[in-house]
Amino acid sequence: MSAGYEVAVPARAELGEGPTWDPATGRLIWLDILGMRVHTYDPATGRRTSRTTEQHVGAVKPRTGGGLVLNLRDGVGLLDPDGAFRWLHHEPVTGRRANDAAVAPDGSLWAGTMRYDEAPGGGTLSRLTGDGAVETVLPDVTISNGTGWSPDGRLLYYVDTPTRRVDVFGHDGGRVNGRRPLVEIEEGAGFPDGLTVDADGCVWVALWDGGAVRRYTPRGELDRVIRVPAARTTACAFGGADLTDLYITTARVGLTAPHPLAGSLLVIPGAGQGLPQPAFRG
Ligand SMILES: O=C1O[C@@H](CO)[C@H](O)[C@H]1O
């Protein structure tokens, strides 16, 4: 188990987010939401790619048949392997943008939004399927963030950042019930942001303004703290051929004197054992 981080990609992302391992390409996808960029990093070769998007991009996930699904400011779009793009669900809302998203065990996309002014209750968490059907799961979210499922898919872990909590729901086939707090981040430790669930069912939570990633057990016990040099630690995901390396994204936005590594993609080699993440069916 490694204690120290490594710099996978030195960068100056305004809002580095959305680390996602793509097993089909052997690359880690990660984003700069406000910079409107989708990056990839191949750990086997060190090769990096970067492309711009026309809108702020909150999340990007692989699709089962190849290509990508994108949670964009004005809705959810599909990018085919040949570069063709079409909207799956186009819903521009003035003052609102996309934020984090995750693919559920059934292959649906659970996509979050937030208001640019972070107005309370101005965001949502919605479930989208490949046929374009959209269902609002949580209507009055402020900053829809970390979203992940237990290894058996029967629990959903979810973060609405200003609550300072990681909540847990019962989950069955796209339906959730019984919301309850799993952990509460104490004052001064930052705010919960992105999250990922490992093969033991433990929840790794990135702490915005906390400069850390914490691992919690399924019972909400703090199991491990990984310090990150950049205060605005935004998200984390396991990657690498065996899903044992923890990738961590960071941000510079809003900081007058950011750490030199703020905005870079970091990695903790051998941090744990991740779960294979489903691709979007659509
Ligand atoms: O993921 C995110 O966290 C917020 C800050 O809490 C940021 O603006 C959003 O994209």
Side-chain angles (χ1 to χ4, degrees):
M1 186 177 343
S2 160
Y5 65 85
E6 295 177 5
V7 179
V9 179
R12 298 171 64 84
E14 272 302 293
L15 185 47
E17 265 279 6
T20 301
W21 182 252
D22 183 357
T25 60
R27 295 179 184 177
L28 187 95
I29 301 166
W30 65 289
L31 314 171
D32 183 349
I33 294 179
L34 298 180
M36 295 189 280
R37 301 188 78 87
V38 177
H39 302 293
T40 69
Y41 168 66
D42 181 340
T45 64
R47 183 168 181 271
R48 306 167 194 171
T49 71
S50 184
R51 64 183 297 161
T52 57
T53 56
E54 293 180 8
Q55 300 184 356
H56 289 147
V57 52
V60 172
K61 301 295 175 185
R63 295 160 61 194
T64 50
L68 301 170
V69 60
L70 297 91
N71 192 24
L72 294 162
R73 183 196 66 204
D74 290 349
V76 173
L78 301 177
L79 184 67
D80 291 341
D82 64 3
F85 175 86
R86 65 182 173 87
W87 288 106
L88 180 67
H89 176 68
H90 189 232
E91 185 189 2
V93 174
T94 302
R96 193 179 82 176
R97 71 168 169 85
N99 210 42
D100 210 347
V103 180
D106 66 359
S108 59
L109 181 75
W110 293 44
T113 67
M114 60 180 283
R115 291 199 53 87
Y116 280 95
D117 62 8
E118 301 186 4
T124 55
L125 178 66
S126 299
R127 175 179 181 267
L128 296 94
T129 47
D131 59 1
V134 184
E135 175 194 355
T136 300
V137 177
L138 299 175
D140 56 353
V141 171
T142 301
I143 300 179
S144 191
N145 246 320
T147 306
W149 285 265
S150 55
D152 64 5
R154 298 176 63 180
L155 297 175
L156 167 71
Y157 297 104
Y158 180 71
V159 168
D160 178 359
T161 292
T163 67
R164 310 184 73 94
R165 300 190 317 264
V166 178
D167 289 341
V168 56
F169 297 75
H171 171 258
D172 182 11
R175 296 267 176 259
V176 296
N177 58 65
R179 182 174 191 168
R180 62 181 172 82
L182 179 75
V183 299
E184 188 142 5
I185 305 302
E186 70 276 18
E187 288 279 342
F191 293 82
D193 201 326
L195 69 79
T196 194
V197 182
D198 68 19
D200 295 329
C202 290
V203 184
W204 299 70
V205 186
L207 296 182
W208 174 275
D209 283 347
V213 170
R214 290 181 174 179
R215 184 186 194 236
Y216 290 95
T217 69
R219 292 169 302 286
E221 300 150 335
L222 180 58
D223 173 73
R224 189 164 164 216
V225 180
I226 293 176
R227 302 303 304 174
V228 174
R232 293 196 162 175
T233 306
T234 56
C236 54
F238 282 95
D242 56 3
L243 296 175
T244 56
D245 302 329
L246 186 71
Y247 286 89
I248 299 171
T249 49
T250 62
R252 307 174 65 79
V253 61
L255 297 175
T256 52
H259 183 280
L261 288 179
S264 293
L265 174 69
L266 309 178
V267 63
I268 316 284
Q273 182 56 65
L275 283 170
Q277 296 297 303
F280 177 63
R281 294 182 187 277

